[in-house]
Amino acid sequence: MEEKLALMIEAAGENSERALAKLISHVEDRKTGWKDIMKTIYAKTGRTCVIGVTGSPGAGKSSLVGEFAKRLGDRGYTIGIIAVDPSSPFSGGAVLGDRIRMRDISTYQNIFIRSMATRGMLGGLCQAARDVVRIMDFAGKDIVIIETVGVGQDEIEVVSAADYVMLVTYPGGGDSVQAIKAGVMEIGDLFVVNKCDREGADIIVSEISAMLDLSTETAAKIPPVIKTSAFTKEGIDELMDILSEFIQKKKKGPHYQKDHVRQEVISILETEMVSIIKERITGNGNMEKELELILSGKSDPYSIADKLMKRFTVIKNVEEKRKGDFQ
Amino acid sequence: MGQDSKIRVLVAKPGLDGHERGAHVVAYGLRDEGFEVIYTGLRQTPEQIVSAAVQEDVDVIGLSILSGAHLTLTKKVMAGLKAKGANDILVTVGGVIPEEDKKTLEEMGVGGVFTSGSKIKDIAAFIRTKIGGNA
């Protein structure tokens, strides 16, 4: 590995904020050597408690995260926060505004906040976010909180990689429960009805409870539903108790769980496959002639996909053989 | 996997003025130019801005100041960056800046001053020239 990277890793491990931030950028940008960084630090990770927070847009996730991160920080924990917001599919740019809601903690010595754009990475977001969690873990953060808007498979996948998943909704807008119903109910360890100072919070609580009762889980495994308000601070103490219990449990438990490790290997493979497809099969104009065949009615998308796949396998075999010849 | 580098910009409003429109226009304009913009909201202290710039590892800071306190506030931000070893970050200032103060700001190490009437395209081009990379 380049000496520059080794020094960066060393400094990040010794509490340098700047080195930690640079390390994250290097890995997030997938710059040369990023994978070496991850391989080097992996053995020193797995200790942190990862809390995933997701839910409908406008549910007050950032404010809530700001509030409980502050209290965890006051208890002496070191904390990393990763706030994921979508990139614009048109320009590739993004406005990342979660820090606006976390201003109280922005100068806490023991809290490190990082905003992250989704960058339209096909299935790659989840792995990139996992990598950032891991770098923070390596840098010694006791707790890493990862926050995403619960819309889209990618974002949901990100939080489902966490040790503990908090689903946040709020009273107002008839679709608030609908939004968390769509495929995310199952991943929640805790349901939070935020903005409970508003009218209708109790109705949302009973709707969610009713839905959870309908699921086949046994009573013991039904996740709690609580009400909070980041504004009036109602329910925050209860939330803190629940989180503390989880943090204690995680400390005693294993560093990594088999399910998560399996998911991660699959996720890395998927990401690599996508980039192979982009670079070697569909990129470099390889596909243009084939598309003409479809348009002129001489072929169809299914046959072309088969053909490209076959061609790729042939290339791969030739390469393997050559490699063998050299050895 | 290929390089996926993006220019990251912190748009920050230090001090006590509440005129956010200019900062919004710049933030959304730069997003449309393909930059990743971190916006921190109103009434930030220089400490908060420096801390955000370091943690977010931005390439550029854009300070939006319409209060008249641009010299004092910018000086504090520059000093804070230096203390954290982050004075390689490009700092630009926008807002209501009298012509005669531009030179003083540049002497402090400010890379560019963009007052009202500046075009987003020009700001984006300026950043690209200074930083390089994709966006």
Side-chain angles (χ1 to χ4, degrees):
Chain A
M1 190 187 324
E2 249 186 279
E3 199 189 330
K4 197 187 89 190
L5 293 184
L7 287 174
M8 219 197 292
I9 293 174
E10 196 186 317
E14 283 165 3
N15 228 355
S16 159
E17 273 206 337
R18 184 115 170 105
L20 170 57
K22 290 265 174 211
L23 207 56
I24 291 173
S25 301
H26 197 99
V27 171
E28 192 190 1
D29 290 346
R30 297 305 194 220
K31 282 191 180 143
T32 316
W34 75 269
K35 217 183 242 177
D36 295 328
I37 296 177
M38 297 313 298
K39 287 176 189 172
T40 308
I41 66 171
Y42 187 80
K44 289 188 184 145
T45 63
R47 288 158 189 81
T48 194
C49 307
V50 187
I51 301 173
V53 181
T54 192
S56 35
K61 294 179 294 297
S62 301
S63 304
L64 192 66
V65 167
E67 190 59 38
F68 74 73
K70 183 178 164 189
R71 298 194 185 202
L72 289 168
D74 286 338
R75 292 186 186 183
Y77 290 113
T78 53
I79 297 160
I81 300 174
I82 304 165
V84 183
D85 269 334
S87 296
S88 155
F90 303 106
S91 71
V95 172
L96 310 169
D98 288 307
R99 274 181 175 269
I100 299 173
R101 315 278 173 229
M102 299 180 190
R103 65 170 68 214
D104 285 357
I105 53 171
S106 60
T107 50
Y108 267 49
Q109 293 296 321
N110 53 346
I111 301 182
F112 184 103
I113 310 172
R114 181 67 176 227
S115 312
M116 197 172 166
T118 54
R119 296 195 180 178
M121 293 185 249
L122 268 174
L125 168 68
C126 188
Q127 192 52 42
R130 261 198 193 115
D131 294 340
V132 178
V133 168
R134 187 154 291 144
I135 296 169
M136 289 187 172
D137 182 350
F138 165 75
K141 305 295 171 207
D142 300 314
I143 297 160
V144 174
I145 302 159
I146 179 157
E147 182 206 325
T148 72
V149 174
V151 181
Q153 194 55 40
D154 263 7
E155 279 89 343
I156 291 164
E157 246 181 72
V158 169
V159 283
S160 61
D163 299 311
Y164 193 82
V165 178
M166 199 189 287
L167 294 182
V168 186
T169 185
Y170 69 111
D175 58 348
S176 52
V177 174
Q178 290 292 339
I180 63 164
K181 244 189 347 192
V184 293
M185 286 301 270
E186 296 80 3
I187 65 165
D189 296 299
L190 171 67
F191 288 78
V192 179
V193 178
N194 195 31
K195 301 192 184 182
C196 71
D197 48 307
R198 289 195 185 177
E199 208 177 309
D202 289 321
I203 299 171
I204 305 284
V205 170
S206 44
E207 278 180 22
I208 295 173
S209 304
M211 256 187 288
L212 290 170
D213 281 339
L214 283 177
S215 72
T216 50
E217 300 283 349
T218 53
K221 280 174 81 182
I222 290 179
V225 185
I226 63 166
K227 287 190 293 183
T228 59
S229 164
F231 179 57
T232 66
K233 318 293 181 213
E234 190 186 333
I236 304 290
D237 287 334
E238 193 186 354
L239 174 63
M240 288 304 295
D241 290 343
I242 294 173
L243 290 180
S244 303
E245 196 184 319
F246 151 69
I247 291 165
Q248 294 310 322
K249 215 167 98 188
K250 162 79 189 181
K251 270 187 188 163
K252 287 180 205 133
H255 286 173
Y256 285 111
Q257 288 178 354
K258 199 169 180 183
D259 278 351
H260 282 173
V261 177
R262 177 184 296 119
Q263 266 310 314
E264 179 156 19
V265 174
I266 293 173
S267 154
I268 294 171
L269 282 173
E270 279 175 353
T271 312
E272 303 222 330
M273 289 300 171
V274 169
S275 69
I276 288 173
I277 291 171
K278 271 189 175 167
E279 280 163 26
R280 319 246 326 247
I281 305 186
T282 62
N284 300 329
N286 281 342
M287 209 171 56
E288 298 311 303
K289 242 191 239 161
E290 316 294 345
L291 296 183
E292 290 303 327
L293 290 177
I294 301 175
L295 292 179
S296 60
K298 288 187 187 111
S299 188
D300 60 89
Y302 310 94
S303 312
I304 293 302
D306 276 347
K307 189 173 157 191
L308 289 172
M309 197 63 214
K310 212 169 192 176
R311 188 188 295 166
F312 172 69
T313 322
V314 172
I315 296 173
K316 197 115 208 315
N317 286 342
V318 172
E319 275 178 358
E320 291 290 314
K321 193 170 171 297
R322 266 193 216 144
K323 226 191 237 167
D325 290 345
F326 281 125
Q327 277 161 3
Chain B
M1 194 160 172
Q3 309 248 322
D4 200 15
S5 193
K6 285 269 176 209
I7 293 181
R8 286 166 70 88
V9 185
L10 176 72
V11 172
K13 279 204 63 74
L16 295 176
D17 82 82
H19 303 283
E20 206 170 11
R21 183 56 58 195
H24 278 183
V25 169
V26 171
Y28 287 100
L30 291 181
R31 173 199 62 187
D32 294 340
E33 288 290 326
F35 296 84
E36 282 181 3
V37 182
I38 292 112
Y39 183 56
T40 50
L42 290 170
R43 298 182 198 93
Q44 296 280 299
T45 63
E47 293 76 24
Q48 286 173 320
I49 291 169
V50 169
S51 168
V54 169
Q55 294 180 354
E56 301 287 358
D57 189 29
V58 293
D59 305 287
V60 188
I61 301 173
L63 299 174
S64 165
I65 312 170
L66 293 85
S67 63
H70 45 273
L71 293 180
T72 323
L73 292 167
T74 307
K75 199 173 172 184
K76 284 188 178 166
V77 171
M78 301 309 284
L81 288 173
K82 198 167 179 202
K84 293 229 178 185
N87 42 336
D88 56 323
I89 298 174
L90 171 66
V91 178
T92 60
V93 179
V96 181
I97 313 292
E99 200 56 40
E100 62 262 36
D101 286 346
K102 281 190 182 173
K103 198 162 170 277
T104 319
L105 286 172
E106 277 160 16
E107 279 163 8
M108 286 180 199
V110 170
V113 178
F114 297 90
T115 52
S116 54
S118 300
K119 301 250 184 311
I120 294 288
K121 292 262 179 224
D122 295 340
I123 301 175
F126 174 82
I127 294 174
R128 281 195 197 100
T129 316
K130 287 268 185 180
I131 306 295
N134 316 322

